[in-house]
Amino acid sequence: MTVYHLAQINIARARDTIDSATMKGFVERIDEINALADEFPGFVWRLQTEEGDATSLQPFDDPGIIVNMSVWEDLESLKRFVYRSTHVDLVRDREAWFSKMMEAYQALWWVPAGHLPTLQEGKEKLEYIQERGPGEEAFTFARHFAPPQS
């Protein structure tokens, strides 16, 4: 029987450059929140460069888009991290740093345990949701699906 983990990608359009005064409050918390994720129950992996975060990656044409990708053991672990840890402070204050996005900005999907998703894979999942809405292939917190049955 295949064991599945939950992959996620979320993107945000920064209000200014990452080194600006506007983004300072967000940037100052990146290391803290990443360290929290790394030790959080259910955490498996997160996308990062040698600097320890993913803010310098530019997988989209818009240089203001910041990307975050990670893998979790299950949906509940990710939900606890996002909404029941100090990470929720960033969610609550996001309008100070990020513009409202009209396109899909979050996608969740099941991957076989041990698979580390690529940025291209994450972009494809966002496109899937943008074009078709949530489904078994890619979904959101609001409309999620169980892992595949093997």
Side-chain angles (χ1 to χ4, degrees), residues 52-74:
D53 64 52
T55 57
S56 64
L57 298 174
Q58 295 290 302
F60 296 90
D61 292 336
D62 182 342
I65 293 183
I66 294 173
V67 64
N68 173 283
M69 275 182 51
S70 57
V71 175
W72 295 78
E73 289 178 359
D74 52 42

Side-chain angles (χ1 to χ4, degrees), residues 97-150:
W97 308 304
F98 302 105
S99 302
K100 185 165 180 70
M101 295 190 69
M102 302 314 289
E103 60 270 24
Y105 60 88
Q106 175 193 75
L108 311 173
W109 69 101
W110 297 105
V111 297
H115 174 75
L116 301 180
T118 64
L119 277 171
Q120 183 59 38
E121 187 178 343
K123 288 172 70 172
E124 289 169 4
K125 299 303 182 180
L126 287 169
E127 289 170 12
Y128 178 93
I129 290 176
Q130 183 67 33
E131 294 170 4
R132 298 178 187 97
E136 289 182 2
E137 185 174 319
F139 47 92
T140 64
F141 280 124
R143 186 159 176 237
H144 55 272
F145 293 80
Q149 299 295 316
S150 30

